[in-house]
Amino acid sequence: MPPLSASRICYDKAMVDTPDSDSSSWFSRLVGNNRFWILALAITGSVIIAGFVQLQIPDTTLQSIRIGQAFGFLSLALLYLAMLISPLTKVFTKLPGREGLVYARRAIGVSAFYYAVLHVYITFFDQLNGFGGIAYLNPTYGWSLLSGIFALGVLCSMAATSFDWVVAKMGYRQWKMLHRLVYAASVAILVHLLLIGSHFANGVTILGVVTYAAVGLLVVLEVVRIGRVVLQKRLRDEKER
Amino acid sequence: MKKNGSILLIALALCLVTPAMASAHVLKTDDTIGAVLHIRPDDAPIANTPVTYVLSFQNNGGNFSLKNCDCSISYVTNGKTVKHAPLVASSSMSSENSVTFPQPAVYVFRVTGMPKAGATFEPFMLEYTVRVGDGQASTQPIPPLLWVGIGMGAALILLYANTQDNHKTKPGKRDT
């Protein structure tokens, strides 16, 4: 039987070991769990951001636009962070707080889904008149919406299966296969951005450069990670011969 | 709880970032004709500064195109039309135009279209409300939503501080 990967070990350890708490009360377990804090911060952050934009911008249409943009950006940033944790912790095995980051990844991903839902609610239902407005959108918007809907569907299925009992019921392998759809979702999000994001469609911008650099970093780390897995497998196969 | 501290810092930093990124779009429709307005670069026009905007049309039935449409736009504020101009067609379904507003105010972009000979679409009118600013930061009272957010944030900080205190004062395995 092949040895468990580091992520599986971290996952099993996180499932077996409850976070720091000696009390058996559910409240103590809740506040001792970094996932609780991440989700609580995400919800609180969304309220603060919306209120801050309202403070800065008196015009309600522009408020809606800015809030929708902010939520979309945060969803993307949180999803990127969640995706970065895995290759980062596997390539840099001595990274401080490694176990905590792996454990927090689930909550970061769910937070990304939360902000994606808010982004869709504001941009699709408020600015684009919801389902009734689809018929009035040109093909560029149509493809952008389609890719956005696909990404949202993947994030939704990942969030819905982000419970320990679901993992146990599905089996770790099947659960992992579902969550690997995040890579397809991230490509769909890039398509969504490139089609209707002026920071990407109209020449070189700082945000565009930062985004491409971030994607490049993720790709490099994933290549290194996959390369190590392939190499380890080859070495194992050679030893067995 | 040290793990929580670093995670909290990262999450808080992310939640407080509110960049002005990407473009945003407002769709208005009139029966079978719809158009999405996007004001470049960031949907926030400023008075006495040339403003470029794009209208992307879509026709749900009929043979609308900007070539067979007598399309024009009026900029209306306080019930008065400050300017009227024909739409400039950059493609058959897209119009890119420029305008300079004389003063900060709320303007209504009123787009009207009449079919030319041979066109089969119905006359239409689309209106977009746009606030033209003066480039200065606005001052207004703190909205209720921000108070709610501040309250939630304060509650989280207090809860976190309380759990930290309990963690320090409670004898645990490490203390023995």
Side-chain angles (χ1 to χ4, degrees), chain B residues 53-76:
Chain B
Y53 63 90
V54 176
L55 283 160
S56 300
F57 286 86
Q58 190 66 12
N59 181 207
N60 194 14
N63 68 342
F64 171 87
S65 85
L66 285 165
K67 290 173 187 169
N68 62 13
C69 174
D70 187 9
C71 288
S72 61
I73 186 162
S74 302
Y75 308 98
V76 181

Side-chain angles (χ1 to χ4, degrees), chain A residues 46-64:
Chain A
S46 66
V47 177
I48 290 176
I49 287 165
F52 187 71
V53 172
Q54 284 183 350
L55 177 69
Q56 294 287 308
I57 300 171
D59 177 57
T60 53
T61 301
L62 192 57
Q63 274 178 21
S64 166

Side-chain angles (χ1 to χ4, degrees), chain A residues 3-202:
Chain A
L4 290 174
S5 64
S7 67
R8 179 63 192 270
I9 292 169
C10 282
Y11 171 78
D12 286 347
K13 192 172 187 310
M15 281 191 72
V16 169
D17 295 347
T18 55
D20 299 331
S21 174
D22 294 320
S23 170
S24 59
S25 77
W26 67 269
F27 184 75
S28 295
R29 286 199 302 274
L30 184 71
V31 296
N33 188 334
N34 66 12
R35 289 173 179 173
F36 163 76
W37 291 104
I38 290 168
L39 292 172
L41 266 176
I43 294 169
T44 303
S46 66
V47 177
I48 290 176
I49 287 165
F52 187 71
V53 172
Q54 284 183 350
L55 177 69
Q56 294 287 308
I57 300 171
D59 177 57
T60 53
T61 301
L62 192 57
Q63 274 178 21
S64 166
I65 289 170
R66 288 287 178 264
I67 293 171
Q69 289 172 344
F71 288 164
F73 170 76
L74 279 167
S75 176
L76 177 64
L78 287 166
L79 182 66
Y80 176 79
L81 184 61
M83 290 177 69
L84 190 68
I85 285 173
S86 187
L88 195 68
T89 53
K90 287 184 180 171
V91 170
F92 301 103
T93 52
K94 302 235 187 288
L95 192 72
R98 190 166 164 265
E99 281 184 13
L101 277 174
V102 173
Y103 186 74
R105 185 177 48 188
R106 187 183 292 186
I108 294 172
V110 172
S111 299
F113 167 69
Y114 168 70
Y115 278 107
V117 168
L118 293 179
H119 168 75
V120 166
Y121 178 77
I122 290 168
T123 55
F124 182 65
F125 290 103
D126 186 23
Q127 294 168 22
L128 297 179
N129 297 353
F131 294 105
I134 291 175
Y136 299 95
L137 299 175
N138 65 25
T140 303
Y141 282 96
W143 282 111
S144 177
L145 272 186
L146 208 59
S147 55
I149 286 166
F150 171 75
L152 184 69
V154 170
L155 288 180
C156 182
S157 62
M158 290 172 67
T161 54
S162 291
F163 300 95
D164 293 342
W165 66 269
V166 174
V167 182
K169 204 163 178 67
M170 281 180 72
Y172 181 75
R173 281 193 193 281
Q174 283 74 20
W175 179 85
K176 194 68 186 172
M177 277 175 59
L178 173 69
H179 281 247
R180 286 214 166 103
L181 283 175
V182 73
Y183 297 106
S186 58
V187 171
I189 290 169
L190 279 177
V191 170
H192 177 72
L193 280 174
L194 286 168
L195 285 177
I196 61 171
S198 65
H199 284 243
F200 302 91
N202 298 325

